[in-house]
Amino acid sequence: MDFTLRVFEKLLKSFIANDYQFQTFYNFLVSPIPKVVVLRHDIDCLPYNALQTAVIEHQMGIKGTYYFRVVPESFNESIINQIADLGQEIGYHYENMDSVSTRFRGKGIKFKNAEEERESIIDAAYEEFCENLERFRKIYPVKTICMHGSPRSKWDNKEIWRTYDYRKLGIIGEPYIDIDFNEMFYLTDTGRRWDGFRYSVRDRVPQQQKWIEQGLVFRTTNDIIKAVNENRFPSKAMITIHPQRWTNNPVLWSKELLAQNTKNVVKYLIIHA
């Protein structure tokens, strides 16, 4: 069974055994090291699962970055505090273009044209972003952010930063903007598989085709472990996990498997429509 906490721990141990070090995204931006894994966690839901991965990492001396959404199924102040107390970095998993456009639509707000709609949503999204950032900073001094993407939305949440500058808010990095993926490999468990780029609408980087040509495509976690142990894995990588996928509970494991397989079909149809 893949995507269990036992397999997750095995993956981390393989990196440690092969002399990789782990950095938070913040520390990587400030002082990068040559052989490194930036372990990123996107907490879309089930924050308790994130606490479980944070405990495992803490026991292994690993520090990573945990991005929480501002929605009830993700934002849990108690768990955020517990994860921060374990030495992990906390960040904001923002989705303000999506949330504002949904709010505008619910109010029946009309626009003269597409450009007016875009500008109005960006302005309101930035205002909401600032409010939510301050909410986070009452708990933790957030310095990095990462967009959350909805495959059914026409908006890219990063679009805010075409008009505004997050650095003026004391933010030093956004992975999709501030990492050079020509120099750093990227893996994500999007789609509950490590080759989920085939189904991903938002969680994509343009270098993917180059990596495919280099043979850097992995289906299972054991495929990654094998590559690490055989010295075939890149020396620098950001790995994104969604903790809701990782559990030793067979009921929750099966539920996530069925739900994600359904989502993958929907996302595939969106991509190829």
Side-chain angles (χ1 to χ4, degrees):
M1 290 174 62
D2 203 348
F3 295 99
T4 66
L5 293 174
R6 289 184 289 271
V7 171
F8 179 67
E9 188 171 352
K10 183 181 176 184
L11 173 66
L12 300 182
K13 286 180 177 178
S14 72
F15 282 113
I16 293 173
N18 287 277
D19 301 320
Y20 283 84
Q21 297 183 62
F22 290 83
Q23 287 189 297
T24 66
F25 182 41
Y26 172 83
N27 286 335
F28 176 77
L29 292 174
V30 172
S31 183
I33 52 182
K35 194 171 185 180
V36 63
V37 172
V38 176
L39 195 57
R40 179 182 127 200
H41 313 71
D42 290 357
I43 298 85
D44 295 343
C45 59
L46 302 182
Y48 179 72
N49 286 39
L51 180 58
Q52 290 182 299
T53 60
V55 168
I56 290 171
E57 292 158 15
H58 177 70
Q59 292 171 343
M60 300 174 72
I62 292 171
K63 292 186 178 182
T65 301
Y66 284 72
Y67 291 109
F68 288 83
R69 301 165 65 197
V70 182
V71 292
E73 59 266 34
S74 174
F75 191 91
N76 183 305
E77 186 169 342
S78 174
I79 287 179
I80 291 173
N81 274 315
Q82 291 179 70
I83 292 176
D85 287 344
L86 292 172
Q88 309 289 2
E89 179 191 7
I90 304 298
Y92 177 19
H93 201 29
Y94 66 96
E95 52 191 313
N96 308 100
M97 294 291 291
D98 290 340
S99 58
V100 166
S101 62
T102 299
R103 187 168 74 243
F104 281 7
R105 188 166 58 250
K107 292 181 177 180
I109 297 176
K110 304 294 183 181
F111 301 95
K112 296 177 182 177
N113 52 54
E115 185 58 27
E116 182 187 57
E117 178 187 23
R118 176 184 173 275
E119 291 179 357
S120 297
I121 290 176
I122 285 177
D123 289 343
Y126 180 72
E127 182 178 348
E128 181 185 87
F129 176 91
C130 293
E131 293 173 356
N132 290 342
L133 180 62
E134 288 309 306
R135 183 178 177 186
F136 269 102
R137 283 178 168 168
K138 290 178 180 178
I139 307 172
Y140 184 91
V142 170
K143 293 293 184 181
T144 71
I145 57 174
C146 180
M147 71 93 183
H148 172 69
S150 171
R152 290 174 294 180
S153 173
K154 72 176 184 178
W155 300 105
D156 181 340
N157 286 300
K158 300 190 303 297
E159 199 163 352
I160 304 175
W161 314 125
R162 296 181 183 178
T163 301
Y164 294 96
D165 183 358
Y166 51 73
R167 291 172 181 82
K168 292 182 179 179
L169 300 173
I171 299 297
I172 71 165
E174 212 284 7
Y176 297 103
I177 297 174
D178 295 295
I179 286 186
D180 182 356
F181 288 108
N182 291 309
E183 301 294 330
M184 191 168 201
F185 183 51
Y186 181 59
L187 267 182
T188 173
D189 67 359
T190 292
R192 201 180 176 279
R193 51 192 296 161
W194 294 106
D195 58 354
F197 55 84
R198 306 176 194 276
Y199 303 92
S200 180
V201 178
R202 300 293 181 194
D203 194 2
R204 305 168 69 94
V205 294
Q207 290 82 359
Q208 188 62 58
Q209 185 57 41
K210 178 187 72 173
W211 296 331
I212 292 172
E213 293 168 358
Q214 294 173 352
L216 293 172
V217 178
F218 307 99
R219 174 65 180 86
T220 70
T221 307
N222 280 333
D223 290 340
I224 301 171
I225 293 170
K226 189 172 186 289
V228 172
N229 290 334
E230 293 177 353
N231 199 31
R232 293 186 289 107
F233 195 83
S235 60
K236 293 182 180 180
M238 170 174 276
I239 298 179
T240 296
I241 71 161
H242 295 79
Q244 78 263 18
R245 308 196 198 291
W246 299 82
T247 179
N248 290 335
N249 183 306
V251 175
L252 296 178
W253 187 93
S254 299
K255 182 179 179 180
E256 175 66 20
L257 174 64
L258 292 172
Q260 192 57 64
N261 284 347
T262 301
K263 291 178 184 177
N264 286 347
V265 172
V266 173
K267 290 191 285 186
Y268 183 86
L269 292 174
I270 291 172
I271 293 170
H272 296 278

